[in-house]
Amino acid sequence: MQQDQGQNERPARSDLDEQALFYHRHPKPGKLAIRATKPLGNQRDLALAYSPGVAAPCLEIAADPRLAADFTSRSNLVAVISNGTAVLGLGNIGPLASKPVMEGKAVLFKKFADIDVFDIEVDALEIDRFCNTVETLEPTFGGINLEDIKAPECFEIEARLRERMRIPVFHDDQHGTAIIVAAAVRNALLLSSKDIGSVKIVTSGAGAAALACLNLLVELGARRENIICTDIDGVVYKGREKGMDRWKGVYAVETDKRTLKEAIQGADIFLGLSAGGVLKPEFLEAMAPNPLILALANPTPEIMPQLAKDVRPDAMICTGRSDFPNQVNNVICFPFIFRGALDCGARAITEGMKKACVDAIAALAREDVSEVAAKAYGSDTPVFGPTYLIPSPFDPRLILKIAPAVAKAAMDEGVAERPIADFEAYLDNLNRFVFRSGLLMKPIFGIARRSGKRVIFSDGEDERVLRAAQVLIEEEICQPILIGRPSVIGTRLERYGLRIRPGPDFDFVNPEDDPRYRDYVDLYFKKVGRRGVNPDTARTIVRTNTTVIGALAVARGEAEVLICGLEGRYAPHVRDIQQVIGRREGVAKFAAMSLLIGNNSAKFFLDTYVQRNPSAEELAEMTLLAAAEIRRFGLTPKAAFVSHSNFGTDDTPDTRKLRHAVKLVRDAVPDFEVDGEMHGDAALNEAIRRRLMPDSTLSGEANLLVFPNLDAANITLNVVKSMTDALHVGPVLLGAASQAHILTPSVTSRGVVNMSAIAVAAAVQSGSAS
């Protein structure tokens, strides 16, 4: 009995552990689901999807197997496969326990490159059994991503599968790391004016990733005689027997050095894929000038960057962590190398394709950062140099650079079964994915991060705000200020298992007892005193109306952003913001814009909450305000004024209003892509629109839908949201003198985080503009 209890004991869970468990369990267990891509709404759909219609594509594929790419999902389907023998930092935990990690890898493929994934956990420790199992899966998949398989078995497994299968087989733990390391090495050597053929390289670690890094560096010109490899047993030298295998033996050298301390003397590059703290500061003193230190152990690097800099200010340093510059993160590589390989029907991922990936990543870091990419980095736009050798994982240009380079390399090497005929059209498709996916919010978070902006939340006692505040603090998006009673906030933080606390982590305004109360009352009465509010009423409102309190804090310069609206109707919050914060100079009326982010699209809806029946002039004004907001996402606004009428098929007050509004927008901004009035399908489908109006000034899909009145906009927004399960971001209040936004009672904590980030990004850019 005692033994059973001991086996069931678990270490105490951290706050992050509890949140991770909740995240994985709710609202549906796991991180993946399968969704149909074709309609199944009637008997005919069923006949086409299955029997008898499905026979037609089956026979076509039987006659020509290449047609599977046209009639099935195989060409965009990757298997993430593991036997659970080397899972992250968890070790050999087995295939079933590895499943959350493999699902996580799957969602990264989908988010970053729109690649569908089945995660497959194989109960097979023996190399023969594992390979035989995976080999039989070739008809199902366009590619195989091997994951978390321990060395040295992983080398043999990959080699066998590459030889047997005619689809790409890629062990990301090896080659993904190697590609990014090689890109960092290439740029570091460029900065230090060193040649790869003459530099001395020393490793700490001789596992799968380290050996793959060395193999690729040798392919790029490094010389084996200039490489010393060390592991837990010391230097890998000729004649050593302990802990050796044939893959490690390739880097065995004739040397009398036996320790890392001895080996590192005169080294130009240190490559660490071992354990935290093994690289001592005194070791660095013996390295060559301008050394590159790749301390990639996680979560604790072989040496902390600041400690290394204290000893060697001339060093260039990379880690595996996101909180330091030059993060070696495999997501920079694997989604995009597979994207290029799948799109050209590659039979394998060759050395040439890997080199093309290295070149693309290294070159991207050297490029001038475009306006769109700069937004992904925030206020500190990176410049190529010692602290920027590798692009950010969230740089939207990664897919645009890597996938075409990989596809071209596959075609050059003769392994592409579906060569890309029109690279311009291919790039256009990639561009459309980048700005229609869940990555849409990444530039916004990049701008907001570490800005130091203060966001005051009127509903500071609400669970959603408290959960959002913890995320915002952890992600360094802003400095939250919560309006609420400290005792209530503290009790609820305890109840919800949240770690943050009033005072040390965030500021608060206590509406029952705040030393600024009289100053707030004076300011409020000054603004509304001649609008039917007497001093007694003003005192009551400032005690009880948290939106007014938050607006006053913004007006007094105590916060840059107000987030409110989780309780009550939208209109009273608009009134309070208008009275206290007011409208931006030159703006006649507020408007509200909502964003829906779906699996394959992102659309903005206007005006969803404020103006009930706007005039043509008001429609034009809100459209121009919305366009400016859309540009913050790195998007080019394309507006369609939608109606029951299609380019004059009906003549009503609403259609005339829309036509006039379109003219006003064109007159104000001649190069703005805008058209209307038109049906909703014409707005979203260029082919339909061209048949109706060949000379339309709108190209592609509209991303901003402007409606004739509030009923049309709000109804459409909520119907589309419910039918598509799209993520609602907003509403974004347009036209306020300062950043102030009114959420809706149905908002989630994630929605609070997203809207806060948008508001902070706008505040940052407004400050930069001024």
Side-chain angles (χ1 to χ4, degrees):
M1 183 69 176
Q2 289 177 343
Q3 184 179 4
D4 290 342
Q5 288 177 340
Q7 289 176 345
N8 291 330
E9 286 179 0
R10 294 287 187 274
R13 290 172 179 164
S14 68
D15 176 65
L16 180 62
D17 291 337
E18 291 291 349
Q19 291 189 54
L21 293 173
F22 183 89
Y23 173 88
H24 282 79
R25 184 177 287 138
H26 299 287
K28 183 179 180 180
K31 298 189 283 280
L32 295 172
I34 296 174
R35 295 182 183 275
T37 61
K38 300 294 189 293
L40 288 168
N42 52 48
Q43 188 64 37
R44 180 168 180 78
D45 289 343
L46 193 60
L48 293 171
Y50 197 55
S51 180
V54 75
C58 289
L59 293 172
E60 292 290 322
I61 295 169
D64 183 355
R66 292 174 298 178
L67 293 178
D70 296 331
F71 296 124
T72 76
S73 62
R74 181 175 184 264
S75 63
N76 194 53
L77 187 62
V78 166
V80 170
I81 304 181
S82 179
N83 61 6
T85 53
V87 180
L88 294 175
L90 304 175
N92 186 356
I93 61 173
L96 182 59
S98 78
K99 189 171 179 64
V101 178
M102 302 311 125
E103 286 188 354
K105 191 84 172 192
V107 297
L108 293 178
F109 268 107
K110 187 64 179 178
K111 277 294 184 185
F112 283 89
D114 198 26
I115 294 172
D116 295 319
V117 168
F118 288 151
D119 64 290
I120 299 177
E121 293 72 36
V122 180
D123 189 5
L125 298 179
E126 305 84 359
I127 292 175
D128 287 343
R129 186 180 178 197
F130 186 95
C131 290
N132 292 339
T133 301
V134 175
E135 182 184 3
T136 62
L137 299 173
E138 182 168 338
T140 302
F141 296 101
I144 304 291
N145 183 89
L146 299 174
E147 193 75 17
D148 292 351
I149 304 168
K150 74 181 182 72
E153 288 90 337
C154 62
F155 302 121
E156 183 67 26
I157 286 171
E158 186 188 37
R160 288 193 194 182
L161 292 175
R162 283 170 58 89
E163 183 179 342
R164 296 178 188 178
M165 303 181 79
R166 288 179 58 83
I167 58 175
V169 176
F170 187 80
H171 187 204
D172 183 49
D173 298 335
Q174 295 182 55
H175 307 299
T177 304
I179 286 167
I180 303 160
V181 164
V185 167
R186 175 159 286 177
N187 281 339
L189 296 184
L190 182 65
L191 289 171
S192 59
S193 301
K194 296 178 182 179
D195 178 69
I196 194 169
S198 59
V199 294
K200 179 179 178 181
I201 303 171
V202 174
T203 79
S204 173
L211 294 179
C213 291
L214 294 179
N215 291 341
L216 185 54
L217 291 174
V218 168
E219 285 283 336
L220 295 172
R223 300 172 66 87
R224 280 195 174 90
E225 57 264 33
N226 294 335
I227 297 171
I228 297 181
C229 189
T230 74
D231 62 10
I232 195 170
D233 296 311
V235 170
V236 175
Y237 61 89
K238 285 190 175 179
R240 193 183 111 175
E241 296 181 0
K242 185 178 181 181
M244 294 296 292
D245 55 56
R246 62 187 176 94
W247 297 278
K248 195 185 301 184
V250 171
Y251 292 99
V253 294
E254 293 279 5
T255 180
D256 59 356
K257 301 179 187 300
R258 294 295 182 265
T259 66
L260 176 60
K261 182 179 181 180
E262 295 169 349
I264 204 168
Q265 294 179 17
D268 298 280
I269 299 171
F270 169 80
L271 173 59
L273 284 153
S274 55
V278 301
L279 183 61
K280 307 303 180 186
E282 58 269 23
F283 294 4
L284 304 185
E285 297 173 357
M287 291 187 74
N290 305 117
L292 172 62
I293 299 170
L294 294 139
L296 307 183
N298 255 328
T300 305
E302 284 79 2
I303 188 168
M304 295 300 287
Q306 189 54 54
L307 192 57
K309 276 290 187 184
D310 290 343
V311 179
R312 291 301 299 264
D314 60 335
M316 292 169 276
I317 304 169
C318 301
T319 71
R321 290 174 41 153
S322 61
D323 52 346
F324 296 115
N326 294 324
Q327 183 192 15
V328 174
N329 186 330
N330 284 20
V331 81
I332 293 172
C333 167
F334 73 80
F336 315 121
I337 196 169
F338 267 98
R339 181 74 277 161
L342 293 172
D343 290 340
C344 69
R347 297 190 301 272
I349 292 178
T350 64
E351 292 303 309
M353 293 162 72
K354 289 191 282 187
K355 289 178 183 177
C357 194
V358 171
D359 292 341
I361 293 170
L364 180 56
R366 298 193 298 268
E367 284 188 14
D368 290 337
V369 176
S370 68
E371 180 183 357
V372 171
K375 291 178 179 177
Y377 290 97
S379 55
D380 297 328
T381 302
V383 177
F384 176 60
T387 60
Y388 184 60
L389 301 171
I390 310 169
S392 161
F394 297 122
D395 193 317
R397 299 170 297 173
L398 283 166
I399 192 172
L400 306 177
K401 300 294 184 181
I402 296 173
V406 169
K408 284 179 180 176
M411 292 162 60
D412 291 343
E413 295 200 315
V415 298
E417 296 194 338
R418 297 189 309 278
I420 294 171
D422 186 342
F423 267 91
E424 186 174 341
Y426 180 51
L427 281 169
D428 183 58
N429 283 333
L430 293 176
N431 263 299
R432 291 173 65 192
F433 162 70
V434 169
F435 298 114
R436 295 194 320 182
S437 72
L439 294 173
L440 187 71
M441 288 295 296
K442 299 302 182 189
I444 297 297
F445 279 90
I447 298 167
R449 188 165 285 115
R450 300 188 183 95
S451 68
K453 298 297 182 185
R454 298 161 296 177
V455 178
I456 189 162
F457 295 90
S458 290
D459 303 287
E461 297 177 0
D462 190 284
E463 177 183 359
R464 292 164 292 179
V465 169
L466 296 174
R467 292 190 180 279
Q470 177 151 308
V471 173
L472 293 166
I473 291 168
E474 289 175 349
E475 294 291 322
E476 301 181 83
I477 301 300
C478 66
Q479 299 177 25
I481 304 170
L482 306 188
I483 300 176
R485 295 159 292 178
S487 60
V488 173
I489 292 173
T491 299
R492 292 183 179 178
L493 289 171
E494 292 280 358
R495 181 192 308 165
Y496 305 137
L498 300 175
R499 184 177 59 257
I500 57 174
R501 292 293 179 267
D505 299 309
F506 60 86
D507 293 328
F508 59 89
V509 175
N510 181 359
E512 293 183 344
D513 182 21
D514 192 279
R516 296 163 291 190
Y517 171 70
R518 290 187 178 181
D519 295 332
Y520 279 21
V521 171
D522 290 344
L523 178 58
Y524 182 62
F525 185 72
K526 182 179 179 181
K527 289 180 174 291
V528 301
R530 293 185 179 273
R531 299 179 188 176
V533 176
N534 60 42
D536 287 340
T537 304
R539 282 189 285 271
T540 301
I541 289 173
V542 175
R543 279 275 189 230
T544 58
N545 188 321
T546 55
T547 297
V548 168
I549 297 171
L552 289 167
V554 171
R556 283 166 50 89
E558 295 165 358
E560 286 76 35
V561 174
L562 166 65
I563 301 292
C564 62
L566 276 72
E567 293 183 5
R569 293 185 302 109
Y570 198 91
H573 297 290
V574 174
R575 176 203 63 210
D576 294 335
I577 290 171
Q578 182 163 316
Q579 288 180 342
V580 178
I581 293 176
R583 294 187 296 272
R584 193 184 315 163
E585 185 176 354
V587 173
K589 284 191 175 181
F590 288 146
M593 177 178 70
S594 293
L595 166 62
L596 290 184
I597 302 177
N599 290 329
N600 297 308
S601 66
K603 294 290 180 282
F604 297 85
F605 296 72
L606 187 71
D607 169 7
T608 48
Y609 282 95
V610 180
Q611 297 191 40
R612 292 177 179 171
N613 189 20
S615 66
E617 290 75 15
E618 289 161 350
L619 283 171
E621 179 184 71
M622 71 171 68
T623 301
L624 295 174
L625 289 171
E629 197 69 39
I630 292 170
R631 290 188 183 97
R632 297 192 201 284
F633 292 85
L635 300 177
T636 299
K638 297 183 178 184
F641 284 66
V642 291
S643 168
H644 75 284
S645 170
N646 238 344
F647 300 106
T649 56
D650 198 1
D651 190 39
T652 67
D654 271 351
T655 60
R656 290 192 293 271
K657 176 175 69 173
L658 291 174
R659 287 174 218 148
H660 185 41
V662 169
K663 181 180 184 304
L664 292 174
V665 172
R666 286 175 176 162
D667 290 345
V669 185
D671 61 348
F672 189 171
E673 286 198 44
V674 58
D675 210 343
E677 83 286 8
M678 68 181 78
H679 285 180
D681 57 354
L684 302 179
N685 188 311
E686 186 172 28
I688 294 174
R689 188 166 61 253
R690 291 297 177 195
R691 286 199 299 269
L692 296 167
M693 189 59 55
D695 63 349
S696 174
T697 53
L698 185 62
S699 64
E701 293 183 20
N703 54 19
L704 173 60
L705 303 179
V706 185
F707 295 85
N709 55 53
L710 180 60
D711 277 349
N714 191 275
I715 291 168
T716 304
L717 169 73
N718 285 292
V719 168
V720 172
K721 180 174 68 173
S722 297
M723 291 180 66
T724 62
D725 197 29
L727 171 66
H728 179 211
V729 179
V732 179
L733 187 65
L734 305 173
S738 298
Q739 288 297 313
H741 300 281
I742 307 161
L743 304 183
T744 61
S746 62
V747 71
T748 63
S749 61
R750 182 184 177 192
V752 177
V753 171
N754 284 333
M755 195 61 244
S756 301
I758 289 172
V760 170
V764 169
Q765 292 186 327
S766 298
S768 300
S770 62

